[in-house]
Amino acid sequence: MIVIENCAVATVDAAGTEYADGHLVVDAGRIVAVGPGHAGRRHRAVRRVDGTGCLVTPGLVNTHHHLYQWATRGLAQDDGLFDWLRTLYPVWARLDADAVAATTAAGLGWLALHGCTTSTDHHYIHPRNAGDLMAAQVAAAAEVGLRFHPCRGSMDLGASQGGLPPDGIVEETEAALVATEEAIDRFHDPADDAMVRVAVAPCSPFSVSGKLMVEAAALARRRGVRLHTHLAETVDEEEYCRRTHGCTPVEYAEQLGWLGPDVWLAHAVHLDDSALDRLASTGTAVAHCPSSNARLGAGTARVRELLDRGVPVGLGVDGPASQEANQLGPELRQALYTARLRGGPGALTVREALALGTIGGARCLGRADQLGSLEVGKLADVALWRLDGLGHAGISDPVAALVLGPPAPLELLLVGGEPVVVGGELRTVDEHELVRRTRRAHRTLTRGARR
């Protein structure tokens, strides 16, 4: 049993319950009490954590990532999405299981250090003879100790068939489907407290055939897992879909069976009003990636309008090659700033930003019953942020301090009640070893790559 007390509490429950001085009690991997004041005496041994000067929140939920990119940061610095991809696809063609293991562990370790307890990953690069990439990822996530939602990605539309990726890194359609189902068989856990859940995730309309999209959706629904893909990220994609398919990206997705309450879409930046309405009416969710969209100059998503229509919206850091900082905590601020640049100072509040990074992400992943808020019975995925240093002095509202202030030091991170970060240090893996492995992967992948 772990008792955290003497801290501010932001539960992010439906009522927005908060306590200026409260407590949280964790037992057997779940939250068993949350409320104001001290936790009181317990009739068994407990570990007490003094949260004086801290804010406790749900652990952050990252809804979109490409962890393999951790070793290829800082390349194609001034390109838009399509040119950026053309530059980096040949670099990523050198991926193997060792590089994927190293980048997955590094990326997840970094996310943990900044408050993230659950992360997706969208891995769609499968070079020939690269080894067992999904197994490498799952093992690395277990090593770090984060809850993991790997999305088995795929591409079958190479350059010779009018797609964007080079032919050498795409798969045959049937081979991709077989490998995706094998990933579900081997790694997906439907249990309430699952540490690993697999999603089906063809990459995007410009790298995947309609046949693969349709059959992948059917596979996901037959197996009862969720669906994920990129959609409506850039103007180039809009033009590609209109030219190639005669419709907008959202219209194309709907034709393929890719809208619904079991789908979450990455980016969804370029949406007209009718697209917003279709996402809302079908229950389709969105992974909002404001920093990556800014880095690539893709545009600003209509987050206020999505929320007002009832669309579930979570936050994603996206791949480290298009968002080199890769911290989900600061993404709360970036989401708020981006929304206000588009819609004015009332477009998003600090508490709505925190909800995007917690319960909004849990909704995207179909886990709002278990994750995303501090409520009795939910899994004990918890972040304790230290707000009593110079960087946050003078901000009396702890949620505003977390969202608007500088990145808050992380005092404690629990995943299922297990400590992953304590006192700002990773306790599950050696951070220096992660650095060493990442540097080796970087050297292997980036020989001769353009900056």
Side-chain angles (χ1 to χ4, degrees), residues 29-388:
R30 293 188 181 269
I31 297 167
V32 296
V34 58
H38 290 278
R41 298 186 65 182
R42 299 279 155 174
H43 299 293
R44 51 178 288 194
V46 300
R47 175 189 172 191
R48 290 189 178 269
V49 177
D50 182 2
T52 300
C54 296
L55 168 69
V56 65
T57 71
L60 303 181
V61 179
N62 179 33
T63 60
H64 187 61
H65 211 322
H66 307 292
L67 287 159
Y68 68 88
Q69 295 178 12
W70 189 261
T72 60
R73 295 186 295 168
L75 305 178
Q77 298 169 12
D78 305 312
D79 288 342
L81 177 64
F82 279 21
D83 286 339
W84 177 86
L85 285 169
R86 291 187 185 98
T87 297
L88 289 170
Y89 275 142
V91 178
W92 298 331
R94 300 173 184 150
L95 280 169
D96 61 18
D98 287 342
V100 167
T103 52
T104 299
L108 293 180
W110 186 246
L111 284 172
L113 285 165
H114 298 91
C116 180
T117 50
T118 298
S119 183
T120 60
D121 188 61
H122 189 184
H123 191 99
Y124 53 84
I125 302 285
H126 295 277
R128 294 174 180 86
N129 303 314
D132 194 339
L133 304 187
M134 181 70 85
Q137 285 207 294
V138 171
E143 181 185 9
V144 176
L146 290 201
R147 217 173 289 279
F148 193 42
H149 282 236
C151 305
R152 207 296 178 176
S154 53
M155 300 187 294
D156 69 340
L157 197 63
S160 65
Q161 297 173 289
L164 199 64
D167 290 347
I169 60 172
V170 302
E171 299 175 279
E172 296 293 332
T173 304
E174 291 305 320
L177 292 166
V178 168
T180 300
E181 186 151 25
E182 286 177 349
I184 297 169
D185 289 337
R186 294 172 65 194
F187 303 115
H188 180 71
D189 182 358
D192 185 65
D193 60 350
M195 290 297 290
V196 179
R197 287 194 180 173
V198 175
V200 174
C203 180
S204 65
F206 49 83
S207 58
V208 175
S209 68
K211 175 180 172 63
L212 179 52
M213 292 291 286
V214 169
E215 295 193 15
L219 167 61
R221 288 171 177 137
R222 174 168 56 82
R223 296 302 304 268
V225 302
R226 296 182 74 76
L227 299 88
H228 183 52
T229 194
H230 298 89
L231 201 77
E233 183 176 359
T234 66
V235 172
D236 287 342
E237 181 187 332
E238 173 95 8
E239 293 172 351
Y240 175 90
C241 281
R242 288 188 180 278
R243 183 175 66 252
T244 306
H245 307 298
C247 59
T248 68
V250 169
E251 289 168 341
Y252 183 56
E254 186 162 31
Q255 292 172 18
L256 299 172
W258 269 80
L259 299 185
D262 54 356
V263 178
W264 85 102
L265 304 171
H267 303 295
V269 172
H270 297 280
L271 305 177
D272 58 21
D273 287 347
S274 95
L276 293 173
D277 291 339
R278 290 309 297 148
L279 296 189
S281 65
T282 57
T284 307
V286 169
H288 176 40
C289 305
S291 289
S292 175
N293 294 156
R295 175 11 173 127
L296 294 173
T300 56
R302 299 174 67 180
V303 171
R304 181 73 265 161
E305 293 96 325
L306 287 165
L307 293 173
D308 287 345
R309 284 168 167 81
V311 174
V313 181
L315 288 184
V317 295
D318 203 5
S322 67
Q323 208 279 66
E324 279 79 357
N326 250 236
Q327 301 165 305
L328 196 55
E331 206 71 4
L332 305 175
R333 184 193 321 113
Q334 188 72 7
L336 182 141
Y337 284 177
T338 300
R340 292 186 178 189
L341 282 172
R342 185 179 187 97
L348 201 71
T349 69
V350 294
R351 283 161 177 81
E352 286 176 315
L354 178 58
L356 290 180
T358 52
I359 192 65
R363 291 185 183 120
C364 286
L365 302 186
R367 301 197 72 174
D369 290 342
Q370 302 116 30
L371 307 174
S373 61
L374 302 179
E375 299 181 74
V376 171
K378 284 198 167 184
L379 298 171
D381 292 7
V382 177
L384 184 66
W385 310 88
R386 183 155 291 287
L387 300 175
D388 56 358

Side-chain angles (χ1 to χ4, degrees), residues 4-9 11 17-25 31-39 56 374 376:
I4 304 171
E5 53 192 353
N6 306 321
C7 57
V9 180
T11 69
T17 306
E18 297 181 12
Y19 306 106
D21 181 14
H23 68 270
L24 182 81
V25 182
I31 297 167
V32 296
V34 58
H38 290 278
V56 65
L374 302 179
V376 171

